[in-house]
Each structure stands twice: as structure tokens, then as C-alpha cells.
């Protein structure tokens, strides 16, 4: 069997390596149009910031090392320019010499990754505007920094935020421009607000709702023009608006594309041509929660899909089970992580859901170095499915999101989260882990032990509603919801006679714990009551201007 692989990084190289481990006889040719194979593209922003000191540490393998260890025929600086399906050939071009030739295949694997979204903005070809996709992009950005760039403007999601953080680490004045009203679309806005505040805390200027309309040059400096007439001067611009699947060649060869423009594959990663497989950022797949076609370019899916293709090529049936979009991002001292769908996506998909917020400590509060994290859990109204989770915090965020992602993959419901037995010692967690706590709170809601109100309901509360602030007087004096009454939870039992059973009480505190206690007291005393999920901490990120 001769297998030709297009693209020599995540999906392509994962496929090649697995294929060799399963089949010593296969002839495996990998074409990579760039100068490097198997490089750590996810590490690029961190070399810009000097966190990954040595550039060579990003070069995981070379064609020589792959020849020696896996007997792979890896040809870098060689681009596949066309596919002749009828003849089972690919046309290739050597980038350096321009020489072209054909290579025959029995099976073809397409792993060409993604290309950057580049809207037709005037001036986008300015030499100080960079993408961040390859080592060469990274080198160009670093060269600009080393040449004395002092001001950077950054646009983009995950990669843009990572670039912003790392350019700031280098001492640049950094401005992030975002067209949407919030950063990082995969998060819900009140979660993204925490990320924005962290960037600002570290001196990054953030402008949301600020779409870029074009670029001009002023003596080598880029002048970024934004909607509404604002301009921003920059010595370098990182333009990382996101990715589109690299599917043009597949399309030209007559392979079926999906509704989102990615190469369409079945769950064995096979394209519409049974001799051609595809994986990674070039394909669209089934989204795990809603089951719709999705495009989520992430390293984990790409690597797993590459490995599965190799299994399938060797006759081992391996089926892809959908993409959850589990991801994690460092933003200075914060960790931001998510899995599954957010509220916006659930509404769009027409999936009913319930939600809870919780602010547990990353590990035991009495052990040094802990901090609260904000967790948001979305689940089906019957509690049998976890639909999504978002966590923003400091210690232990990544492990909690991974537990929740695993729970989702295992089709556990919130009822099961109550029973998970998770490792605990004070430096690492709490005896009731944050994930258990999410289960407790969600199950309390579904069992009727608590009833929440949410910040976004403020304007639609009943006219006779009483907003009852159960925090201490000093907290109340510092800030409170408009027209709220203060009665600290500790005084509630003694002063219950001051309350009116005919009116509905909407209680709140800082994070939701004291107001939950108040809820339980008032409920058992016969009051109509609901408690603010997530407390004023969530409230102020729903209404950042409040
Ligand atoms: C800066 C950066 C940071 C990232 N950080 C993260 C992260 O933290 N977590 C995460 O999950 N994901 C991250 N990603 C995304 C992740 O890297 C991709 O999802 C993953 O690499 C996709 O793998 P792939 O094999 O499909 O494509 P790639 O890894 O991009 O590889 C495709 C290769 O194919 C080559 N190629 C394309 N066309 C041809 C052709 N015609 N002929 C020959 N070769 C061709 C390209 O040169 C490229 O090297 C990051 C991406 C970038 C750019």
C-alpha cells in the first residue's frame, strides 16, 4: 500500500506515524509545502513572548529524524497542487526549484490544515501586518519587535489573545480590537468579560464593538482605521481573525464539501472518494452536543483524526465521535476554559437548557495559592445531559473542564456529577470538588431545593418584587442593586416579621452562597423567593457599566 499524505503537521504527521507503527511495509510519502514538519504551531505565541526561549524547541521533528525513526519519506518545501482522482495521482511542485512532478497513490490523506480569514480590507497587504500561523510568521513578528516596535494592534480570537499577551510580555503597548461586543465568541459574554478585565489589568487596551475597516501607512507605521472613525497607530499588527478550511484542492478534484466549506467526511474520516481520507482543520465534522456540522479547528481533534485515518487505512474500524470544542487559554494570570456549547449556541440550536453559576475555590481556601474560579454549567432541563461548561479562574481550571468534558463524552448527567469521586488534598482541591459542587447546585435546582433568578431578568421582575440584599451593611453601602433592601442573612430569622409574605423576594449576595442560605430560610418560612445565580459577581459582568 502506498499512502500519500498532504500536510506534515498535526493530522498529517499523526496519521503517518501511526500508519508506520501499524504497517511496516506501507510506502508513506508526506508532502509539506512549508519548510518544517511536525512543528509546534500552538507554541508560536509563547516564543514571541520569550516564555519558550529556544526557537528550536518548537521543531519537534525533522524529515531526517522521521526517516530514521519511522522510515517516512517526508518532502518539505513541496506543495501538492492538484489531485487526479481518476489516475490516482497528485501533482506536486517543489517550492524552491519550481520543478513539478506527479506522485501515484493507492490511498490519499488530505491534512492541509486551515487558511486565515482575510476579508477584503484596504491596506491589508501592509508589510507590518502579520498572520500568526507558521514559524516564518512568528520570525517576522519577532524581527519587527527586535527592530524596536513599540505599539501593536491585535485582532482575533484565541490566537489573537495569546499574541496580545505575549507582545505585552515583551513590553509593547498592545491594543486589541474586536468587532463583536465581547472577546472570544465561544464564551458567553459575562464569562468573556473576566478575560477582558484581565487584559486591561495587565495594561492591554481593549476595544470591543470596534470593527476594523482598513489600514493605511504613515512612514512605515500602520494606521488602523475602525468603524466610527477611530484610528490606532501600530508598529506591527497581528491579524488573526480565525481560520477557514483549506479545501480548494479537494473541491477542484470534485470531492464533496460540507455546508461550512470544509471537506466533508464520514465518521471514518473518509471523503466522498473512498480512496481519499481527510482530517484536521481542513474538514468539518459533527458537533458533539447538537449533532450539527461544525468547524472547530483544534489540535486535539486534528491529532486524533490523523490517528484514526491510519487505523482505518489498516482495516481497523475507527469512528470519530464528534468535536466538543474543549479548549483552554491562558490570559496572563487567568485560565479560561470551555467545552460543549455556550448559551448563544444552545439557543441557536433550539436546545432547551438550564444553567447554574458557581464560584468555588481552586483548592482548599486555607491552603496558600487558591482563588475562586467562575464556573458556568449548562445542562438539559431533565438533568440527563451536560450541554456545556465554561470556567474562568486561576488554579485548577483546566482539570475541572477536563472532568466535565469527560463527563459529557461519557454521557453523564448532572445527577452523576454529585457522585464523582475526585482526588483531594488541600493543595489540589476540596473534599467537595468544584465539579461535585456544580452537580449539587444543578441537582438542587432540578429537585426544587432552590430556584434561581438571573441577572438578565432584572428588567422583567414582577412590579411588586423585593430585591433583598443579604450581604453585610458595608458591602451594601459600597454598592447594591437599584432599589434593593439590605437584611444580612444572619439577621433574617430574627427580623422575618419585617418582610411581607404577599410579595416575591429576589435575594442576592456576592457569589450566591449567602443568598442560597437566605433562600432556604425564607422558603421554609413560607415566602415566595428566588436567589440570584452567581450573585453580584456575575451580575456586574452581565452589566459591566453598572
Ligand atoms: C499560533 C497557533 C496557536 C494554536 N494554539 C492552539 C492551542 O493552544 N490549542 C489547540 O487545540 N489548537 C491550537 N491551534 C490550532 C492547531 O494548531 C490546529 O488545529 C492544528 O494544527 C490543525 O492540524 P492540521 O494538521 O489540520 O493542520 P496544520 O497543523 O496547520 O498542518 C497543515 C500543514 O499542511 C501544509 N499544507 C497545506 N496545503 C498543502 C499542500 N497543498 N501541499 C503540501 N502541504 C500543504 C501546511 O503548510 C501545514 O504545515 C493553534 C494554531 C496556531 C496557528
Amino acid at each position: 500500500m502506498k499512502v500519500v499524505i498532504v500536510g506534515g503537521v498535526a493530522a498529517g504527521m499523526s496519521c503517518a506515524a501511526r500508519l508506520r507503527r501499524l504497517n511496516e511495509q506501507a510506502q508513506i510519502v508526506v508532502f509539506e509545502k512549508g519548510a518544517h514538519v511536525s512543528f509546534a504551531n500552538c507554541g508560536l505565541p509563547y516564543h514571541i513572548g520569550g516564555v519558550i526561549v529556544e526557537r528550536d524547541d518548537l521543531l519537534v521533528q525533522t524529515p531526517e529524524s522521521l526517516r530514521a525513526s519511522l522510515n517516512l519519506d517526508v518532502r518539505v518545501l513541496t506543495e501538492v497542487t492538484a489531485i487526479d482522482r481518476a489516475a490516482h495521482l497528485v501533482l506536486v511542485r517543489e517550492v524552491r526549484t519550481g520543478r513539478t512532478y506527479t506522485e501515484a497513490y493507492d490511498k490519499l490523506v488530505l491534512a492541509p490544515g486551515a487558511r486565515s480569514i482575510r476579508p477584503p480590507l484596504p491596506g491589508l497587504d501592509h508589510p507590518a501586518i502579520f498572520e500568526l500561523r507558521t514559524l516564518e510568521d512568528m520570525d517576522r513578528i519577532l524581527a519587527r519587535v527586535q527592530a524596536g516596535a513599540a505599539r501593536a494592534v491585535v485582532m482575533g480570537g484565541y490566537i489573537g489573545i495569546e499574541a496580545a499577551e505575549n507582545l505585552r510580555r515583551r513590553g509593547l503597548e498592545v491594543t486589541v480590537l474586536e468587532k463583536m461586543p465581547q472577546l472570544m465568541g465561544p464564551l458567553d459574554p459575562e464569562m468573556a468579560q473576566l478575560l477582558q478585565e484581565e487584559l486591561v489589568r495587565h495594561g492591554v487596551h481593549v476595544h470591543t464593538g470596534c470593527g476594523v475597516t482598513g489600514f493605511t501607512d504613515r512612514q512605515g507605521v500602520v494606521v488602523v482605521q475602525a468603524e466610527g472613525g477611530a484610528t490606532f497607530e501600530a508598529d506591527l499588527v497581528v491579524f488573526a481573525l480565525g481560520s477557514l478550511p483549506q479545501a480548494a484542492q479537494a473541491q477542484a478534484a470534485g470531492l464533496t464539501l460540507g455546508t461550512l466549506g470544509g471537506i466533508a467526511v464520514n465518521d471514518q474520516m473518509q471523503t466522498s472518494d473512498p480512496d481519499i481520507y481527510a482530517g484536521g482543520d481542513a474538514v468539518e465534522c459533527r458537533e458533539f452536543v447538537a449533532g450539527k456540522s461544525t468547524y472547530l479547528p483544534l489540535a486535539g481533534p486534528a491529532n486524533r483524526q490523523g490517528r484514526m485515518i491510519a487505523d482505518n487505512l489498516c482495516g481497523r474500524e475507527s469512528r470519530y465521535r464528534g468535536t466538543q470544542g474543549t479548549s483552554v487559554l491562558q490570559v496572563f494570570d487567568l485560565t479560561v476554559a470551555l467545552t460543549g456549547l455556550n448559551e448563544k449556541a444552545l439557543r441557536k440550536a433550539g436546545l432547551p437548557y438550564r444553567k447554574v453559576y458557581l464560584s468555588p475555590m481552586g483548592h482548599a481556601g486555607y491552603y496558600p495559592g487558591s482563588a475562586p474560579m467562575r464556573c458556568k454549567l449548562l445542562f438539559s432541563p431533565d438533568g440527563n445531559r451536560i450541554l456545556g461548561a465554561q470556567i474562568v479562574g486561576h488554579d485548577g481550571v483546566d482539570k475541572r473542564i477536563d472532568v466535565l468534558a469527560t463527563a459529557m463524552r461519557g454521557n453523564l448527567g448532572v445527577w452523576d456529577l454529585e457522585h464523582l469521586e475526585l482526588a483531594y488534598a488541600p493543595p489540589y482541591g476540596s473534599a467537595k470538588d468544584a465539579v461535585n459542587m456544580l452537580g449539587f447546585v444543578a441537582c438542587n435546582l432540578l429537585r426544587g431545593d432552590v430556584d434561581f433568578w438571573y441577572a438578565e431578568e432584572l428588567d422583567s421582575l414582577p412590579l411588586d418584587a423585593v430585591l433583598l440584599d443579604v450581604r453585610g451593611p458595608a458591602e451594601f453601602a459600597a454598592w447594591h442593586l437599584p432599589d434593593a433592601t439590605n437584611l444580612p442573612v444572619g439577621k433574617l430569622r430574627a427580623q422575618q416579621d419585617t418582610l411581607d409574605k404577599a410579595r416575591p423576594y429576589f435575594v442576592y449576595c456576592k457569589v450566591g452562597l449567602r443568598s442560597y442560605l437566605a433562600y432556604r430560610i425564607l422558603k421554609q418560612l413560607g415566602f415566595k423567593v428566588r436567589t440570584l445565580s452567581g450573585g453580584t459577581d456575575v451580575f456586574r459582568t452581565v452589566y459591566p457599566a453598572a
Side-chain angles (χ1 to χ4, degrees), residues 164-166 168-169 198-199 202 204 330-334:
E165 174 183 344
N166 282 288
R168 186 79 193 119
R169 274 189 210 286
E198 182 71 358
L199 286 170
H202 286 269
V204 176
Q330 175 183 285
V331 189
F332 293 103
D333 301 332
L334 270 193

Side-chain angles (χ1 to χ4, degrees), residues 9 19 43 52 192 221 233 247 259 349 399 453 475 482 522 537:
V9 187
L19 188 55
I52 298 171
V221 170
E233 291 200 348
T259 49
K399 77 167 171 172
W453 69 283
E475 290 169 282
L522 291 173
D537 273 5

Side-chain angles (χ1 to χ4, degrees), residues 27-363:
Q27 187 186 348
I28 306 170
V29 183
V30 180
F31 290 113
E32 168 52 57
K33 73 175 176 187
H36 305 280
V37 276
S38 211
F39 71 96
N41 41 14
C42 304
L44 301 179
Y46 300 99
H47 183 56
I48 292 175
V51 181
I52 298 171
V53 179
E54 299 299 333
R55 184 183 187 276
D56 280 356
D57 288 346
L58 299 171
L59 303 174
V60 184
Q61 295 282 359
T62 63
E64 295 71 33
S65 68
L66 290 163
R67 163 78 69 189
S69 62
L70 291 164
N71 189 22
L72 300 179
D73 178 355
V74 177
R75 303 182 203 170
V76 292
L77 293 169
T78 311
E79 181 178 10
V80 170
T81 54
I83 304 162
D84 182 341
R85 287 165 53 201
H88 274 57
L89 293 172
V90 289
L91 182 66
V92 296
R93 186 180 69 88
E94 289 178 353
V95 174
R96 256 195 293 245
T97 62
R99 184 174 83 91
T100 60
Y101 58 93
T102 57
E103 190 78 36
Y105 65 82
D106 297 319
K107 301 284 181 190
L108 179 64
V109 177
L110 300 178
R115 61 192 168 87
S116 300
I117 295 176
R118 287 181 75 83
L121 294 176
L124 188 54
D125 56 352
H126 190 289
I129 302 179
F130 306 95
E131 296 180 5
L132 182 51
R133 188 164 288 284
T134 64
L135 280 157
E136 292 73 23
D137 294 333
M138 177 192 77
D139 292 341
R140 284 189 280 267
I141 293 171
L142 264 180
R144 191 86 184 171
V145 171
Q146 279 150 5
R151 296 160 303 174
V153 165
V154 176
M155 279 148 267
Y158 284 92
I159 295 173
I161 306 267
E162 288 178 349
E165 174 183 344
N166 282 288
L167 287 167
R168 186 79 193 119
R169 274 189 210 286
R170 283 270 174 186
L172 277 78
E173 181 164 355
V174 179
T175 302
V176 173
L177 301 181
E178 171 57 61
K179 188 183 172 84
M180 293 189 305
Q182 66 165 90
L183 297 176
M184 284 258 309
L187 290 171
D188 283 318
E190 77 286 10
M191 305 299 281
Q193 178 64 23
L194 297 175
L195 181 166
Q196 181 168 339
E197 287 169 10
E198 182 71 358
L199 286 170
V200 170
R201 202 167 70 83
H202 286 269
V204 176
H205 311 288
V206 180
H207 298 267
T208 52
C210 186
V212 171
T213 54
F215 307 89
T216 52
D217 175 79
R218 188 181 300 149
Q219 292 167 341
V221 170
V222 190
V223 182
V224 185
Q225 285 141 0
E227 284 157 358
T231 57
F232 303 87
E233 291 200 348
D235 305 309
L236 78 89
V237 172
V238 177
F239 193 81
L241 291 198
S243 300
L244 291 171
Q246 191 93 255
Q249 281 173 9
Q251 186 175 29
L255 296 178
T256 304
L257 301 193
T259 49
L260 304 172
I263 304 172
V265 287
N266 62 19
D267 61 2
Q268 290 180 278
M269 309 311 297
Q270 201 170 27
T271 68
S272 52
D273 180 331
D275 288 331
I276 305 181
Y277 289 74
D281 286 3
V283 305
E284 60 185 72
C285 305
R286 191 174 52 81
E287 188 279 319
F288 182 76
V289 174
K292 304 251 166 61
S293 205
T294 191
Y295 182 62
L296 284 167
L298 289 167
N303 277 275
R304 296 200 313 279
Q305 290 168 0
R307 183 184 158 93
M308 279 174 189
I309 292 171
D311 282 353
N312 286 315
L313 285 171
C314 294
R316 299 180 175 209
E317 194 180 292
S318 184
R319 294 184 186 276
Y320 190 64
R321 300 179 188 180
T323 298
Q324 258 169 278
T326 308
S327 45
V328 63
L329 174 71
Q330 175 183 285
V331 189
F332 293 103
D333 301 332
L334 270 193
T335 302
V336 177
L338 63 106
T339 186
L341 296 186
N342 62 25
E343 269 194 84
K344 290 171 289 185
L346 287 170
R347 280 198 293 266
K348 198 167 164 204
L351 287 177
Y353 64 90
R354 306 295 305 264
K355 68 173 171 180
V356 294
Y357 296 94
L358 192 69
S359 300
M361 301 298 280
H363 60 263

